[in-house]
Amino acid sequence: MNEKTTLAGAPLDQVAIAKYRNLVYYMTFFAYAMSHFSRKSYTNVKVQLKTKAGIDPILLSQMDTTFMFFYAIGSFFSGKLGDTFHAPTVVGIGLIGSALCVFFLVVGVWTDVAHSSVAYSHFYFMFFWLLHGLVQSTGGPVNTAIMGNWFGAKNRGWIFGTWTCHQYIGNIAAAVVASAILNSTWPWVYALLIPCLANAVWGVLLILALPERPEHVNIETEETRAKAAAAKLSGSTPAHQMAPITFTEALSIPNVIGYALAFGFFKLINYAMFFWLPYFLAGHFTPQQSNMISVLYDVGMMPGGVIVGTVSDLFGGRRACVILIFMGLLVPLLFLFSQYASVMPALALLVLLGIMGILVGGPNNIITSAVAADLAEHPSIKGNSRALGTVTGIINGSGSITAALGLMVIGPLQLKYGWSSVWYFLILCTVVGSGLMMPKVLKEIYSHDAPESVAQPTRRGYESVNRGDEKA
């Protein structure tokens, strides 16, 4: 009799497990896609917001920065909320709130707020965009925590690598919808209203139909069975009944702080491209063309996470080494962009953006999914299943703060020194972020065991597969 059966006796219902895992995978996938659908819709109509709605470019830049700061603040707390309360409700409220914020942006356009007093227009747009940042912050940490409840360590890089394509599906959908609207006779604000409706509908579906964890639908998986057996053997509280870990406990997990700092610089690179690429391309192409060309960057980001996740699985979970290689390859491509982007043929630009998407997307996708899930299984938290949201929130929030600070530089840097200076700045961010990864990379290179300690059930309860991090 194998271990799966001896731990609890009865065989697992693999059909039911597969059914619910598919449901959770796709519902959370499209939840995160919807989040980016509404977020990206705003960046795709920046030219219209400037030329037709009369919003000053400096205000648009300030809105970007405000969004990122409050997204960062929200990430710290939304992850904790997801670990403490009913996670699907937290995500659903976030999507409904996002729909309302974008809708009030449209209301501001309809009522010509931009041409009212400067103080009122700044207050109106900044208020709803800071609120948008807060509600959007539920997407990453809480959806990741729900996925972590249903999927274990087996093939984690591959599973989360494919799952993190969600944000790019949302970005691509926003670009396609915006391009279709801008090429039609419909008012351009429909490019904002359609994501509003989609977000609100999906938010309601999440609250009503998404199961948070296997125990809530009387399903037992290999992971929940193993954790229950370990808790019984050690006489501790079952994993799903434990109190959520504290911020102090999360920060004390080895490598959480290191990944949080490095991720900040990687996320800044991604968000600089996310917010400003359509605007940069609009200087060389029509708004419709620039939106479609920028899609190639998002298309490239999708396989990036899959590649990093799969390769790191094959090498025993040594994800930091794979991330460093990707970021090292990005530097020369950013240099090419700084020198030749304005004169580059369209085909070469498309290929370059696709490759850059792969190199940026891989590390960004894996750090806030598979890496966070690895960290949340460290033996120090004794199998607590209410940890992943908090860990992901810390990494995502820290990264967003760095990205928000960096985005404050992009607008003034571009206006004063031109676009080449922006690409040089992103090269510097790549180098600094990679440098912050070096301690973890060296530990993975010189360790003969799996790089992350993962809690496993034994007759003494939870203990580490690898003691390397405990000695560090």
Side-chain angles (χ1 to χ4, degrees):
M1 189 175 289
N2 60 32
E3 184 183 3
K4 288 192 298 182
T5 305
T6 57
L7 282 173
L12 298 171
D13 187 347
Q14 298 294 350
V15 174
I17 292 171
K19 170 188 170 184
Y20 276 102
R21 280 179 171 167
N22 284 334
L23 176 66
V24 169
Y25 183 98
Y26 288 109
M27 287 200 75
T28 55
F29 182 97
F30 286 107
Y32 213 142
M34 289 297 172
S35 179
H36 274 254
F37 188 21
S38 62
R39 193 188 311 180
K40 184 69 171 177
S41 65
Y42 152 77
T43 68
N44 287 330
V45 294
K46 267 189 175 178
V47 172
Q48 286 71 29
L49 288 169
K50 174 187 173 183
T51 59
K52 296 185 177 181
I55 301 177
D56 185 79
I58 298 298
L59 177 56
L60 291 175
S61 178
Q62 291 171 343
M63 288 170 64
D64 290 342
T65 302
T66 300
F67 176 93
M68 289 305 301
F69 268 122
F70 282 87
Y71 179 90
I73 294 168
S75 291
F76 287 106
F77 296 101
S78 63
K80 184 70 172 173
L81 287 173
D83 284 339
T84 305
F85 301 105
H86 186 242
T89 299
V90 176
V91 179
I93 291 173
L95 285 180
I96 295 168
S98 179
L100 289 172
C101 290
V102 177
F103 177 74
F104 278 105
L105 175 65
V106 174
V107 170
V109 172
W110 284 338
T111 56
D112 202 20
V113 169
H115 293 104
S116 61
S117 69
V118 174
Y120 176 70
S121 64
H122 275 65
F123 171 79
Y124 183 92
F125 291 115
M126 295 286 277
F127 172 77
F128 283 109
W129 228 237
L130 74 83
L131 189 60
H132 194 211
L134 287 174
V135 295
Q136 282 262 324
S137 70
T138 61
V142 186
N143 279 310
T144 302
I146 296 170
M147 279 288 291
N149 291 336
W150 283 92
F151 294 90
K154 185 179 180 181
N155 298 322
R156 175 173 286 156
W158 160 256
I159 292 169
F160 276 98
T162 58
W163 181 73
T164 53
C165 293
H166 44 42
Q167 53 193 307
Y168 311 115
I169 295 297
N171 293 346
I172 292 167
V176 170
V177 168
S179 181
I181 296 296
L182 295 176
N183 278 313
S184 73
T185 57
W186 289 16
W188 63 269
V189 292
Y190 275 48
L192 297 171
L193 290 174
I194 291 173
C196 282
L197 179 62
N199 271 241
V201 170
W202 203 258
V204 172
L205 287 176
L206 289 176
I207 295 171
L208 297 177
L210 178 61
E212 180 182 12
R213 56 180 68 243
E215 296 86 352
H216 290 178
V217 287
N218 297 317
I219 292 292
E220 188 177 47
T221 66
E222 293 179 38
E223 294 77 26
T224 59
R225 175 175 286 184
K227 288 182 177 182
K232 184 176 180 180
L233 289 169
S234 63
S236 60
T237 305
H240 69 283
Q241 294 179 7
M242 291 182 177
I245 66 170
T246 64
F247 286 112
T248 302
E249 289 171 331
L251 289 169
S252 67
I253 297 173
N255 301 307
V256 166
I257 294 176
Y259 271 115
L261 293 174
F263 179 63
F265 290 94
F266 300 155
K267 188 162 188 170
L268 171 55
I269 299 164
N270 181 30
Y271 270 72
M273 302 290 280
F274 178 90
F275 283 114
W276 287 96
L277 187 58
Y279 192 78
F280 164 74
L281 293 171
H284 309 283
F285 304 93
T286 66
Q288 296 89 341
Q289 290 173 328
S290 66
N291 279 329
M292 292 309 297
I293 292 172
S294 69
V295 166
L296 266 294
Y297 176 73
D298 291 316
V299 170
M301 293 190 82
M302 288 193 286
V306 179
I307 295 169
V308 172
T310 303
V311 173
S312 62
D313 278 347
L314 293 174
F315 286 92
R318 288 172 170 79
R319 309 196 201 281
C321 292
V322 182
I323 290 169
L324 184 69
I325 292 171
F326 269 54
M327 301 314 291
L329 293 173
L330 178 65
V331 171
L333 297 189
L334 283 171
F335 180 76
L336 283 176
F337 218 78
S338 71
Q339 298 298 307
Y340 306 109
S342 60
V343 296
M344 193 177 292
L347 180 60
L349 187 62
L350 292 175
V351 172
L352 184 60
L353 285 173
I355 296 173
M356 289 171 67
I358 292 173
L359 297 176
V360 175
N364 276 274
N365 293 349
I366 290 301
I367 289 175
T368 54
S369 57
V371 167
D374 292 341
L375 295 170
E377 290 186 345
H378 191 269
S380 64
I381 61 173
K382 296 179 172 61
N384 192 332
S385 63
R386 296 180 180 274
L388 181 51
T390 304
V391 170
T392 308
I394 288 172
I395 295 174
N396 207 19
S398 300
S400 297
I401 288 175
T402 305
L405 291 170
L407 283 174
M408 294 177 67
V409 176
I410 300 294
L413 196 64
Q414 182 267 327
L415 288 173
K416 189 169 184 179
Y417 299 106
W419 281 104
S420 291
S421 63
V422 174
W423 310 125
Y424 285 130
F425 175 64
L426 298 184
I427 290 173
L428 177 63
C429 292
T430 306
V431 173
V432 173
S434 300
L436 289 168
M437 292 284 296
M438 286 307 298
K440 178 59 180 169
V441 170
L442 294 174
K443 186 180 293 185
E444 289 186 1
I445 290 173
Y446 292 108
S447 171
H448 296 290
D449 299 316
E452 295 294 346
S453 298
V454 177
Q456 297 292 335
T458 72
R459 294 195 177 277
R460 294 180 302 277
Y462 285 96
E463 67 178 22
S464 173
V465 171
N466 168 35
R467 303 287 182 178
D469 282 346
E470 295 174 17
K471 297 174 183 178

